[in-house]
Amino acid sequence: MSEPIEEWLDELNKLGEEKSMTDKQLKIVKAASEIFAEKGFAGSSTSEIAQRAGVAEGTIFRHYKTKKELLVSIVAPVMAKLVAPFVMREFYKVLDSRYDSYDQMLRAILENRLAFLEKHLNVLKIFIQEIPFHPELQEQFEKLILAKVFEKVTPNILRFQEEGTLVNWSPYTIIRLTVSSLIGYAAIRMIYGKREGSSWNDEKEREATIAFIMKGLAP
Amino acid sequence: MSEPIEEWLDELNKLGEEKSMTDKQLKIVKAASEIFAEKGFAGSSTSEIAQRAGVAEGTIFRHYKTKKELLVSIVAPVMAKLVAPFVMREFYKVLDSRYDSYDQMLRAILENRLAFLEKHLNVLKIFIQEIPFHPELQEQFEKLILAKVFEKVTPNILRFQEEGTLVNWSPYTIIRLTVSSLIGYAAIRMIYGKREGSSWNDEKEREATIAFIMKGLAP
Amino acid sequence: MSEPIEEWLDELNKLGEEKSMTDKQLKIVKAASEIFAEKGFAGSSTSEIAQRAGVAEGTIFRHYKTKKELLVSIVAPVMAKLVAPFVMREFYKVLDSRYDSYDQMLRAILENRLAFLEKHLNVLKIFIQEIPFHPELQEQFEKLILAKVFEKVTPNILRFQEEGTLVNWSPYTIIRLTVSSLIGYAAIRMIYGKREGSSWNDEKEREATIAFIMKGLAP
Amino acid sequence: MSEPIEEWLDELNKLGEEKSMTDKQLKIVKAASEIFAEKGFAGSSTSEIAQRAGVAEGTIFRHYKTKKELLVSIVAPVMAKLVAPFVMREFYKVLDSRYDSYDQMLRAILENRLAFLEKHLNVLKIFIQEIPFHPELQEQFEKLILAKVFEKVTPNILRFQEEGTLVNWSPYTIIRLTVSSLIGYAAIRMIYGKREGSSWNDEKEREATIAFIMKGLAP
DNA sequence: GATGAATGAGTGTTCATTCAT
DNA sequence: CATGAATGAACACTCATTCAT
């Protein structure tokens, strides 16, 4: 795989990561991520977060006005970076020329986002848990994530359809079917793939998933 | 579609529904379902539930020893009924003879369970939200739901594979791919299908989804 | 020991015991006695009493207007009977003529009251625990018990003092010293006398106690 | 009476008394002692304690994890100090040489402990009320108090018996008889000695009590 | 900037008591 | 006479947040 792209992605992912965070602040964010992921936002207490972070309770509120602000400060940057590849203009320029099938595009995205997902598993768990209860998050998600993804992916789909390598359904439908298959793969992989004694064969399942999508979306 | 089966299913779904629930108890369960769905389990307070149900707070605890027992008492029966069709011995006997393709099986299940899902949307939301935090629910889900579904669906998949109408992957993989596509369809349908001014064309999306699965799983 | 006296005492002790109590009422009183003794009045709940008695909660309040009335109804009659021997005019008539020493009087009282104490241990425990918190009980105790005992015992002490067989202290002092020794004996006997592997030798301890009192009160 | 001993005892009693207690904590302990003594542990509410202490209810639980921990934290140190003289190695070394009779030992202990008792009356009331319901307190009492007292007093009793100045009963019996007489004296003194218009003559009663014990335990 | 004691509203739960059946 | 569902005040305890140090 093209090294430049990977490097660019990595840089982008790091972008702003620990920007001007004090040592204590970092500890707080780390502790909060863990505890929010374990028990959910409402089920977590600031005192437990302070304890695990090894700071005083007051210190949390010196950096974040409320508990909810702490939540958002954790979730927002990861969300931003989740969509990063689709925001990069260069990304698809290169992609367009390099990967000349939906299949290859799928593999590229999957591989890159899977690594990201694994790295930020906790935050994503929090995000999924909390999105129904926080309209700000919903809006952010729709505007920042969904819209960007559609914007960037749709032209590619149209191109593949013109080339006659993709079924002639609405791009929204194609994206929906693709994404639900990929999420289904990623979810089961997270839950069962790491259990002891599990018979999960990642290579086989990934190939099956991509084959399933490709055959399902063949013209 | 065979009327008797549908009727049987309906009856089964109703079975034991409000059996021996007092008026107040019903109000409590209704209010709790709504509030749990709105704010999550940990974010809901028993006092608010009591208020919305129009009963005294003490009344809740006369019927349910703890708040968690209230949660489980709401979620468990719906989960049980979700899987009801797969528990019916008759179901597949008839199915085997009537529907002679995976396609038809899919449609039959989808149609029936979709109505159920819509009816119990709140409870399913609660279930999905809370399952990560309550090991009892996880166990129940795996033992009561997943196991039953696999047990009943696997033989049919094997039969279709023998007949050469289904790709030769592991039944687990086939179920995973099918279910993630169906859930994706149902989820988007719930979220976007009912928005005002939505361009969601349910008939078309459902056909696309089934076509996607069938093509994706063709041998 | 004179049989008639014992029989009279026994009859008196039984007097009014189950006077017009329904079956349920008896069960309630029994259950309440046990639970009050185990956990104290404030620490016991009417629901637990109802449960152990095998009646509905409402039934308790049909017979006793409040929880406190239940307490008093349990404690009062036993208190009344505790003092019974001293109220019997016949008792001391006979006593005066039959036992011609403080020593013999002591033994007579001790033996009779010890049996009573053992039989009503629970109620006495309740009484001792609750007396500090219920002024009615205090008053009742002073008026019904203490006053009667002094009234009846004082003449006997004076007589023994005249006869020159008892030290010439105030009867109140003599009663105080006697009673504290007897209570001390009874208390330790209750606590340690029944422990498994206990080396408590009741006969020896009782004789020592009486000898101690007699020598301590010798002129 | 030897001044040095008294001073040592006073110092010992003060030892660690209000060590590192914040102002609020002290108020809480004081309020709790009063209310527990008035109404018993189960009958007291943390909200009332907070109110009387002039602090927020939460403040109580910042210092004591549970209501019971508050109880124990009040009772335990007083119990420990009650037995303090018996723990002092010096105490009996001096006693042995200075007081050469049981009579004098009695007076020394009585005088010192009586002042202590009066000072900590509330806590002792609490202790007596609650000991039947809290096995921790029972154990503590047996191990810390009873055992220490027996350990220290027994050798002295044996010595007096060898010298022929004390009756030849088991040390346990002698301690039991002594203690019940002393407790009886202290109890009545507390209850009646301070009533208005009471005819209680403390000097006389104390002398009578000691004379009673001494005569009762004469060989 | 960091602390942690203090707060008081809020939590889930228990309680003695009532009353329609 | 007995029941047990219903009550709502009270309970012990937790919480996010504040603020003097």
Side-chain angles (χ1 to χ4, degrees):
Chain A
M1 207 151 298
S2 109
E3 264 189 56
I5 293 178
E6 302 307 320
E7 281 169 17
W8 290 349
L9 273 171
D10 285 353
E11 261 182 73
L12 193 78
N13 280 341
K14 272 178 209 144
L15 209 97
E17 184 141 1
E18 288 128 16
K19 185 182 60 188
S20 74
M21 264 197 188
T22 75
D23 172 50
K24 302 250 170 194
Q25 213 169 339
L26 216 89
K27 278 185 192 161
I28 290 169
V29 166
K30 201 161 161 291
S33 297
E34 287 170 24
I35 295 179
F36 284 163
E38 274 168 36
K39 318 189 165 185
F41 176 72
S44 307
S45 79
T46 51
S47 86
E48 195 186 348
I49 293 169
Q51 209 173 322
R52 187 168 318 180
V55 304
E57 263 195 272
T59 309
I60 293 176
F61 292 91
R62 188 147 293 280
H63 293 287
Y64 307 94
K65 268 203 284 287
T66 63
K67 188 186 166 194
K68 190 156 187 172
E69 199 183 293
L70 173 58
L71 170 72
V72 171
S73 90
I74 287 171
V75 167
V78 174
M79 285 305 105
K81 285 186 291 179
L82 182 65
V83 81
F86 302 100
V87 180
M88 284 180 66
R89 213 168 295 167
E90 265 61 65
F91 185 73
Y92 273 100
K93 268 199 209 136
V94 181
L95 222 62
D96 288 356
S97 53
R98 287 187 54 88
Y99 305 116
D100 43 24
S101 70
Y102 196 68
D103 177 299
Q104 280 187 310
M105 186 172 111
L106 236 54
R107 289 173 194 276
I109 294 174
L110 189 60
E111 193 149 339
N112 181 270
R113 291 300 85 186
L114 228 47
F116 178 89
L117 198 139
E118 210 148 338
K119 190 177 166 196
H120 296 286
L121 186 57
N122 270 350
V123 178
L124 285 164
K125 268 166 90 173
I126 297 170
F127 180 75
I128 290 161
Q129 285 303 321
E130 297 307 325
I131 205 170
F133 311 132
H134 307 273
E136 325 87 273
L137 291 183
Q138 285 166 36
E139 250 180 82
Q140 226 185 72
F141 179 70
E142 284 198 27
K143 285 199 180 132
L144 291 182
I145 316 276
L146 281 192
K148 298 280 183 194
V149 170
F150 278 121
E151 183 189 332
K152 288 292 175 182
V153 173
T154 304
N156 286 279
I157 289 175
L158 294 174
R159 186 166 56 81
F160 291 131
Q161 288 178 331
E162 277 166 31
E163 291 173 5
T165 59
L166 211 56
V167 69
N168 226 351
W169 294 335
S170 139
Y172 289 97
T173 305
I174 289 175
I175 291 174
R176 170 174 71 73
L177 292 166
T178 304
V179 168
S180 60
S181 296
L182 292 182
I183 287 181
Y185 158 68
I188 303 295
R189 183 177 182 267
M190 285 301 159
I191 298 173
Y192 292 98
K194 314 224 154 139
R195 284 209 188 159
E196 285 183 34
S198 159
S199 61
W200 177 265
N201 181 335
D202 193 45
E203 190 68 23
K204 220 176 78 188
E205 294 294 334
R206 188 182 312 188
E207 286 309 314
T209 306
I210 289 175
F212 172 71
I213 297 171
M214 290 313 296
K215 276 162 51 192
L217 296 179
Chain B
M1 208 149 298
S2 110
E3 265 188 55
I5 293 179
E6 302 308 320
E7 280 169 18
W8 289 351
L9 273 172
D10 285 354
E11 262 180 70
L12 195 77
N13 280 341
K14 270 177 210 147
L15 208 97
E17 185 140 359
E18 288 127 15
K19 186 182 60 186
S20 76
M21 262 199 188
T22 75
D23 172 49
K24 303 252 170 191
Q25 211 169 341
L26 217 89
K27 279 185 193 161
I28 291 169
V29 166
K30 203 163 160 287
S33 297
E34 287 170 24
I35 295 179
F36 284 162
E38 275 168 36
K39 318 191 165 186
F41 176 74
S44 307
S45 79
T46 51
S47 86
E48 194 186 349
I49 293 169
Q51 211 172 323
R52 184 167 321 179
V55 304
E57 221 178 326
T59 307
I60 293 177
F61 291 93
R62 180 152 293 277
H63 293 288
Y64 306 94
K65 270 199 285 288
T66 63
K67 189 187 168 193
K68 191 155 187 172
E69 197 184 296
L70 174 59
L71 170 72
V72 171
S73 90
I74 288 172
V75 166
V78 174
M79 286 304 107
K81 284 187 290 180
L82 181 66
V83 81
F86 300 99
V87 180
M88 281 182 67
R89 216 169 291 169
E90 264 58 69
F91 186 72
Y92 274 99
K93 269 200 208 137
V94 181
L95 223 63
D96 288 355
S97 52
R98 287 188 52 89
Y99 306 117
D100 42 25
S101 70
Y102 196 67
D103 176 299
Q104 279 186 309
M105 186 171 110
L106 237 52
R107 288 172 196 276
I109 294 174
L110 189 60
E111 191 148 340
N112 179 271
R113 290 300 85 187
L114 228 46
F116 180 88
L117 200 138
E118 208 149 341
K119 190 177 166 197
H120 295 286
L121 186 57
N122 268 352
V123 177
L124 285 163
K125 267 167 89 174
I126 297 170
F127 181 74
I128 290 161
Q129 286 303 320
E130 297 308 324
I131 205 172
F133 309 131
H134 308 272
E136 322 89 273
L137 290 184
Q138 285 165 36
E139 245 179 86
Q140 226 184 74
F141 179 70
E142 284 199 26
K143 286 201 179 131
L144 291 182
I145 314 278
L146 281 192
K148 297 277 184 198
V149 171
F150 277 122
E151 183 190 333
K152 288 291 178 182
V153 173
T154 304
N156 287 278
I157 289 175
L158 294 174
R159 185 165 57 83
F160 292 129
Q161 289 178 332
E162 276 167 32
E163 291 172 5
T165 59
L166 211 55
V167 69
N168 227 351
W169 294 336
S170 137
Y172 289 97
T173 306
I174 289 174
I175 291 173
R176 170 173 72 72
L177 292 165
T178 304
V179 167
S180 60
S181 296
L182 292 182
I183 286 181
Y185 158 68
I188 303 296
R189 183 179 182 266
M190 287 299 159
I191 299 172
Y192 293 98
K194 315 228 153 137
R195 285 210 188 158
E196 285 184 33
S198 158
S199 62
W200 177 267
N201 181 335
D202 193 44
E203 191 67 23
K204 220 175 79 188
E205 293 294 335
R206 187 183 312 187
E207 287 309 314
T209 305
I210 289 176
F212 173 70
I213 296 171
M214 290 312 296
K215 276 161 53 190
L217 295 180
Chain C
M1 206 152 298
S2 108
E3 265 189 55
I5 293 178
E6 302 307 319
E7 280 168 17
W8 290 349
L9 273 171
D10 285 353
E11 260 180 71
L12 194 78
N13 278 345
K14 270 176 211 147
L15 207 98
E17 185 140 2
E18 288 128 16
K19 184 183 61 188
S20 75
M21 264 196 187
T22 74
D23 172 48
K24 303 249 171 195
Q25 211 169 341
L26 216 89
K27 277 185 194 162
I28 291 169
V29 166
K30 199 160 165 291
S33 297
E34 288 170 22
I35 295 178
F36 283 163
E38 274 167 37
K39 318 191 166 183
F41 175 74
S44 307
S45 78
T46 50
S47 85
E48 195 187 348
I49 293 169
Q51 210 173 323
R52 188 169 319 177
V55 305
E57 264 195 270
T59 308
I60 293 177
F61 291 90
R62 188 146 293 280
H63 292 288
Y64 308 93
K65 268 203 284 289
T66 64
K67 189 185 166 194
K68 190 156 187 173
E69 199 183 292
L70 173 59
L71 170 72
V72 172
S73 90
I74 287 171
V75 167
V78 174
M79 285 304 104
K81 285 186 289 177
L82 182 65
V83 83
F86 302 100
V87 181
M88 283 181 66
R89 214 169 293 167
E90 265 58 68
F91 184 72
Y92 273 102
K93 265 197 211 142
V94 179
L95 222 60
D96 288 355
S97 54
R98 286 187 56 87
Y99 305 115
D100 44 23
S101 70
Y102 196 67
D103 176 300
Q104 280 187 309
M105 187 170 110
L106 238 53
R107 289 174 195 276
I109 295 174
L110 189 60
E111 193 149 339
N112 181 269
R113 291 300 86 186
L114 228 47
F116 178 88
L117 199 138
E118 210 147 339
K119 190 177 165 196
H120 296 286
L121 186 57
N122 269 351
V123 178
L124 285 164
K125 269 165 90 173
I126 296 170
F127 180 74
I128 290 162
Q129 285 304 320
E130 296 309 325
I131 204 171
F133 311 132
H134 307 274
E136 324 88 272
L137 289 184
Q138 286 165 36
E139 250 179 83
Q140 226 183 74
F141 179 71
E142 285 197 27
K143 284 199 181 135
L144 290 181
I145 315 276
L146 281 192
K148 298 278 183 195
V149 169
F150 278 121
E151 184 189 332
K152 290 291 174 183
V153 172
T154 303
N156 286 280
I157 288 175
L158 294 175
R159 185 165 57 81
F160 291 131
Q161 287 177 330
E162 275 167 33
E163 290 173 5
T165 57
L166 211 55
V167 69
N168 225 351
W169 294 334
S170 140
Y172 289 96
T173 306
I174 288 176
I175 292 174
R176 170 174 70 74
L177 293 165
T178 304
V179 168
S180 60
S181 296
L182 293 182
I183 287 180
Y185 158 69
I188 303 297
R189 182 179 184 264
M190 286 298 158
I191 299 172
Y192 292 99
K194 315 223 153 141
R195 283 209 190 160
E196 286 184 33
S198 160
S199 62
W200 178 265
N201 180 336
D202 194 44
E203 191 67 24
K204 220 175 77 187
E205 294 293 335
R206 189 184 311 188
E207 286 309 315
T209 305
I210 289 175
F212 172 70
I213 297 171
M214 290 312 296
K215 277 161 51 188
L217 296 179
Chain D
M1 205 148 301
S2 112
E3 265 188 54
I5 293 178
E6 301 308 321
E7 281 168 18
W8 290 350
L9 273 171
D10 285 354
E11 262 181 72
L12 194 78
N13 280 341
K14 270 177 211 145
L15 210 98
E17 185 141 0
E18 286 126 17
K19 187 182 58 188
S20 78
M21 261 199 189
T22 75
D23 172 50
K24 304 252 170 195
Q25 212 170 339
L26 218 89
K27 279 185 193 161
I28 290 168
V29 166
K30 203 162 159 288
S33 295
E34 287 170 23
I35 295 179
F36 284 163
E38 275 168 36
K39 319 192 165 185
F41 176 74
S44 307
S45 79
T46 50
S47 86
E48 195 186 348
I49 293 170
Q51 211 172 322
R52 185 168 319 179
V55 303
E57 220 179 325
T59 308
I60 293 176
F61 291 94
R62 182 153 292 279
H63 292 289
Y64 307 94
K65 271 199 283 288
T66 63
K67 190 187 167 194
K68 191 158 190 171
E69 196 183 295
L70 174 57
L71 170 72
V72 171
S73 90
I74 288 171
V75 165
V78 174
M79 287 302 106
K81 284 187 290 178
L82 181 66
V83 82
F86 301 99
V87 180
M88 282 181 66
R89 219 169 288 170
E90 266 57 67
F91 186 71
Y92 274 100
K93 268 199 210 138
V94 182
L95 223 60
D96 289 355
S97 52
R98 288 188 52 87
Y99 306 119
D100 43 24
S101 70
Y102 196 67
D103 176 299
Q104 280 188 307
M105 186 171 112
L106 238 52
R107 288 173 195 276
I109 294 174
L110 189 61
E111 193 149 338
N112 180 269
R113 291 300 84 187
L114 227 48
F116 179 89
L117 200 137
E118 208 149 339
K119 190 177 165 197
H120 295 287
L121 186 57
N122 267 353
V123 177
L124 286 163
K125 268 166 87 175
I126 297 169
F127 181 74
I128 290 161
Q129 286 303 322
E130 297 308 324
I131 204 171
F133 309 131
H134 307 273
E136 321 89 274
L137 291 185
Q138 286 165 35
E139 246 180 87
Q140 226 184 71
F141 179 70
E142 285 198 25
K143 285 197 181 137
L144 292 182
I145 315 277
L146 281 192
K148 296 277 183 198
V149 171
F150 278 121
E151 183 189 333
K152 288 291 177 182
V153 172
T154 303
N156 286 277
I157 288 175
L158 293 174
R159 186 166 55 83
F160 292 130
Q161 287 177 331
E162 276 169 31
E163 291 173 6
T165 58
L166 211 55
V167 69
N168 228 350
W169 294 336
S170 137
Y172 289 97
T173 305
I174 289 175
I175 291 174
R176 171 174 71 74
L177 292 165
T178 303
V179 167
S180 60
S181 296
L182 293 181
I183 287 180
Y185 158 68
I188 303 296
R189 181 178 185 267
M190 287 299 159
I191 298 172
Y192 292 100
K194 315 226 154 137
R195 283 210 189 159
E196 286 184 34
S198 159
S199 62
W200 177 266
N201 180 335
D202 193 43
E203 190 68 23
K204 221 175 77 188
E205 294 294 334
R206 189 184 311 186
E207 286 309 314
T209 305
I210 289 176
F212 172 71
I213 297 172
M214 290 311 297
K215 278 161 50 189
L217 296 180

